Amino acid sequence: MKSKKTFIPSLFTAFNIFCGYLAILKILDGSYITACWLVFVAAIFDALDGRLARFMNTPSDFGVEFDSLADIISFGVAPSVLLYHIYFNQMGILGIIVSFSPLI
């Protein structure tokens, strides 16, 4: 029964990752406002997954690592790509380095 409970917070984390991935695709299409909203929705899923895991008493090492991966995608890669596409794409290697900073 515990494995079924563990699935629910991980599903929210998967939605977080999906929102981050979709935000990156929207950035590449030039839909910057939509991408920003998707990062915002990812933040909601990020807040809910940990709370659900604690509420359901199902925290796990996998869940912690999976959440870290989601954070990298939604709050590291997506904002870095957004910054690069909007502000720094004309600056060459310097633009790449500066837009890389949210990922760090």
Side-chain angles (χ1 to χ4, degrees):
M1 185 67 176
K2 186 175 180 176
S3 65
K4 288 182 182 178
K5 283 184 179 180
T6 306
F7 175 75
I8 296 170
S10 293
L11 184 63
F12 277 75
T13 305
F15 286 143
N16 177 353
I17 292 172
F18 179 72
C19 287
Y21 173 71
L22 193 56
I24 294 166
L25 293 180
K26 290 298 177 181
I27 292 164
L28 296 176
D29 285 343
S31 301
Y32 303 129
I33 301 296
T34 303
C36 290
W37 279 109
L38 285 164
V39 170
F40 179 75
V41 172
I44 293 170
F45 283 122
D46 186 48
L48 292 176
D49 65 358
R51 284 189 175 90
L52 269 172
R54 286 187 294 279
F55 176 75
M56 298 174 75
N57 197 24
T58 58
S60 68
D61 291 336
F62 172 78
V64 171
E65 299 299 327
F66 195 42
D67 185 62
S68 294
L69 174 65
D71 291 346
I72 290 169
I73 294 168
S74 297
F75 311 119
V77 176
S80 290
V81 172
L82 182 65
L83 283 174
Y84 179 76
H85 269 265
I86 292 177
Y87 298 110
F88 301 114
N89 61 346
Q90 300 295 319
M91 295 176 65
I93 190 70
L94 181 61
I96 292 170
I97 292 168
V98 171
S99 64
F100 178 68
S101 63
L103 188 54
I104 293 295

